[in-house]
């Protein structure tokens, strides 16, 4: 067992002294376990640093100070004659004085201002398991698996309970995200769907084919007889609950095979592409129907397009062959064939082409929005690697050269 602690703190008297004593204790414990129990020593480090990041906001003449606390604990376990290795890393971080935009009076010449008013935490772990499954003279098979989880939580927003954000340039499709104290940094935000618009409410329910309206009935959650901002609630987060990756390396005589698989579970996306795929621009309502209800809203504002984007993907497959050493003296030649993104398995109700194609905005308070995401390209590659050595000055000096060529 090899514990490791990294703590980044503000140097304030007793707190620093206690953490230093704790770190010293872990170092002594690590050395004891290593010498007396024969445990595998992966690393020993106890570091206490103070980090201040200063930046100058020229527009507002502000000095920005970012301070954080980081506690990191890690361990490594090796058993069965190095056939099984397990690494575990866990962390807890607090980041203070985050930059966020706050609305200000337009009389100042600006509508918002960057201020240091944010504070959030990140908690998570990562497990890496490496196994030597089979090891014989002609055949070997090893596997490396890593699993990670991260949970972030907003601790302070400078006196406000929540901040509602909306993507710029998407005003025709009103979409909202909320940042709320005690919750993840980004959540989808909107009305709750009650029911779809029936065909009798459409001007043309049969043409275009499979036409869908862009509006929907929403719920009056507070029961006051009208639909307003009080009826909007958080409806999930874009962050995955767990991510993992697995690599398998197989070798039989002079052949080698490498397969990389990756998975993400629990992540959601706001896939606005469905709005176009279902011809929703043409699903217009009869005026008399629309005027008869006061709970009709755009599907985008009702979070209609939130989809489960969990997936398992085979990232790459690489098959190679290395010519035997009795044929290639003082050099080696490996030929290989690779394919990237060969398979993608969607596990949720996602209807797009690429669950990882997230659109970026100029604010960290909007995430998981997808518009026009291109599908992942599948690539085939054929190539070779040629490695040889040149002996110079009567074998005193050896120079190694590697030549590689790939064709996709």
């Amino acid at each position: 067992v090899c514990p490791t602690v990294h703590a980044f703190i503000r140097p304030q008297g007793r707190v620093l002294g206690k953490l230093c004593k704790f770190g010293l204790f872990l170092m002594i414990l690590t050395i004891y376990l290593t010498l007396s129990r024969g445990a595998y020593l992966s690393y020993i480090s106890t570091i206490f640093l103070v980090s201040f990041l200063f930046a100058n906001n020229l527009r507002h003449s502000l000095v920005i100070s970012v301070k954080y606390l980081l506690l990191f604990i890690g361990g490594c376990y090796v058993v069965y004659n190095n056939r099984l290795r397990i690494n575990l890393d866990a962390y807890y971080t607090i980041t203070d004085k985050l930059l966020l935009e706050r609305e200000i009076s337009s009389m100042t010449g600006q509508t918002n201002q960057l201020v240091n008013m944010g504070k959030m935490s990140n908690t998570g772990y990562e497990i890496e398991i490496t196994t030597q499954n089979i090891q014989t003279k002609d055949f070997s098979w090893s596997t490396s698996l890593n699993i990670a989880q991260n949970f972030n939580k907003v601790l302070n927003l400078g006196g406000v309970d929540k901040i509602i954000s909306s993507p710029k340039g998407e005003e025709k499709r009103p979409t909202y995200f909320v940042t709320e104290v005690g919750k993840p940094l980004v959540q989808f935000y909107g009305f709750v769907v009650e029911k779809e618009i029936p065909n009798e409410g459409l001007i043309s329910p049969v043409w275009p084919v499979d036409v869908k309206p862009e509006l929907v009935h929403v719920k009056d959650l507070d029961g006051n007889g009208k639909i307003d901002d009080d009826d909007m609630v958080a409806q999930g987060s874009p962050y995955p609950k767990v991510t993992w990756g697995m690599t398998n390396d197989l070798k039989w005589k002079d052949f080698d095979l490498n397969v990389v698989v990756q998975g993400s579970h629990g992540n959601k996306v706001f896939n606005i592409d469905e709005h176009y795929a279902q011809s929703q621009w043409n699903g217009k309502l009869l005026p008399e129907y629309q005027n008869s209800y006061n709970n009709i809203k755009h599907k985008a504002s009702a979070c209609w397009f939130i989809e489960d984007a969990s997936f398992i993907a085979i990232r790459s497959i690489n098959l190679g062959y290395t010519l035997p050493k009795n044929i290639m003296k003082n050099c080696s030649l490996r030929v290989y064939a690779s394919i990237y993104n060969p398979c993608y398995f969607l596990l949720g109700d996602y209807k797009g082409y690429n669950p990882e194609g997230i659109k970026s905005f100029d604010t960290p308070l909007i995430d998981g929005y997808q518009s026009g995401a291109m599908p992942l390209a599948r690539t085939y590659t054929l190539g070779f690697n040629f490695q040889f050595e040149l002996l110079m000055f009567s074998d005193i000096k050896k120079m190694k050269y590697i030549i590689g060529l790939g064709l996709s």
Side-chain angles (χ1 to χ4, degrees):
V1 182
C2 308
T4 301
V5 172
H6 301 270
F8 295 81
I9 63 172
R10 298 175 61 183
Q12 293 182 352
R14 295 180 180 179
V15 177
L16 180 60
K18 291 180 179 179
L19 286 175
C20 287
K21 292 178 181 179
F22 178 64
L24 180 61
F25 166 75
L26 287 178
M27 292 180 65
I28 295 174
L29 177 63
T30 300
I31 296 174
Y32 167 75
L33 291 173
T34 303
L35 297 179
S36 64
R37 303 295 178 87
Y40 177 79
L41 180 61
S42 61
Y43 42 73
I44 306 175
S45 61
T46 305
I47 305 174
F48 296 95
L49 296 175
V50 181
S51 177
F52 296 93
L53 173 63
F54 296 97
N56 186 31
N57 188 316
L58 298 179
R59 186 179 67 167
H60 302 287
S61 298
L62 293 177
V63 177
I64 301 163
S65 175
V66 177
K67 307 170 186 178
Y68 56 88
L69 162 68
L70 167 62
L71 176 62
F72 174 91
I73 301 176
C76 177
Y77 308 85
V78 178
V79 295
Y80 298 120
N81 296 325
N82 218 24
R83 296 286 295 271
L84 172 63
R85 176 178 299 181
I86 302 175
N87 285 283
L88 171 62
D89 295 323
Y91 59 88
Y92 175 73
T93 67
I94 295 179
T95 308
D96 197 5
K97 305 300 181 184
L98 294 174
L99 276 174
L100 294 174
E101 285 193 350
R102 170 178 286 178
E103 293 185 357
I104 59 176
S105 173
S106 58
M107 294 181 63
T108 62
Q110 301 286 339
T111 57
N112 51 61
Q113 181 184 32
L114 286 173
V115 295
N116 298 103
M117 64 177 186
K119 183 178 181 180
M120 66 177 295
S121 67
N122 278 276
T123 307
Y125 70 87
E126 182 173 355
I127 302 175
E128 182 179 3
I129 303 174
T130 303
T131 61
Q132 188 66 47
N133 306 317
I134 300 176
Q135 183 67 56
T136 64
K137 180 181 178 181
D138 294 330
F139 181 73
S140 65
W141 172 27
S142 64
T143 301
S144 178
L145 171 68
N146 66 79
I147 303 173
Q149 280 189 304
N150 179 77
F151 307 96
N152 67 69
K153 183 168 67 173
V154 177
L155 303 178
N156 190 0
L157 288 175
V160 299
D161 293 330
K162 62 183 177 182
I163 298 176
I164 300 175
S165 306
S166 184
K168 294 180 180 179
E170 303 290 341
E171 288 77 11
K172 292 182 179 180
R173 300 165 291 277
T175 309
Y176 304 100
F177 298 81
V178 63
T179 301
E180 194 171 2
V181 175
K183 301 296 178 63
L185 180 63
V186 179
Q187 294 184 100
F188 303 109
Y189 191 67
F191 300 101
V192 178
V193 175
E194 182 180 56
K195 65 178 182 178
E196 292 189 71
I197 303 295
N199 286 339
E200 54 266 25
L202 300 179
I203 296 177
S204 177
V206 296
W207 183 260
V209 177
D210 196 29
V211 65
K212 300 289 184 181
E214 63 181 2
L215 303 176
V216 68
H217 288 279
V218 299
K219 295 181 179 180
D220 180 13
L221 297 181
D222 57 7
N224 62 358
K226 61 180 181 179
I227 302 299
D228 51 24
D229 293 345
D230 294 333
D231 297 309
M232 302 177 72
V233 295
Q235 302 190 42
S237 171
Y239 305 115
K241 296 180 179 178
V242 61
T243 59
W244 60 273
M246 182 171 63
T247 301
N248 280 280
D249 288 292
L250 297 93
K251 188 173 183 180
W252 179 69
K253 294 186 177 181
D254 298 315
F255 290 91
D256 61 89
L257 176 66
N258 174 271
V259 181
V260 179
V261 185
Q262 184 183 10
S264 178
H265 305 271
N267 50 305
K268 296 181 179 180
V269 298
F270 194 99
N271 181 20
I272 198 66
D273 293 337
E274 184 184 349
H275 184 81
Y276 300 93
Q278 294 184 350
S279 300
Q280 295 186 13
W281 290 110
N282 297 314
K284 303 301 181 182
L285 272 61
L286 292 169
E288 56 270 22
Y289 182 90
Q290 189 165 1
N291 295 333
S292 301
Y293 297 92
N294 66 345
N295 67 334
I296 296 178
K297 293 290 182 179
H298 196 285
K299 283 183 175 179
S301 64
C303 297
W304 176 271
F305 304 106
I306 296 178
E307 299 171 349
D308 184 355
S310 302
F311 68 88
I312 296 177
I314 301 179
R315 291 300 187 190
S316 65
I317 301 175
N318 186 290
L319 176 63
Y321 176 75
T322 303
L323 269 65
K325 294 182 179 180
N326 57 0
I327 298 178
M328 308 293 292
K329 295 183 179 180
N330 295 325
C331 61
S332 64
L333 176 64
R334 178 180 179 269
V335 294
Y336 64 88
S338 300
I339 177 173
Y340 298 93
N341 300 315
C343 296
Y344 222 102
F345 303 97
L346 299 175
L347 307 179
D349 57 354
Y350 178 73
K351 302 180 181 65
Y353 296 102
N354 179 9
E356 300 174 272
I358 303 302
K359 189 174 182 179
S360 61
F361 295 90
D362 58 355
T363 172
L365 304 185
I366 297 178
D367 196 5
Y369 188 88
Q370 189 172 99
S371 175
M374 297 296 293
L376 291 172
R378 182 178 299 164
T379 307
Y380 302 87
T381 303
L382 296 175
F384 71 89
N385 294 110
F386 183 56
Q387 180 176 313
F388 61 95
E389 293 182 352
L390 290 181
L391 305 181
M392 304 178 64
F393 307 110
S394 300
D395 293 351
I396 296 177
K397 184 177 181 181
K398 293 184 178 181
M399 299 186 66
K400 182 179 291 186
Y401 294 86
I402 300 176
I403 299 176
L405 175 65
L407 178 63
S408 300

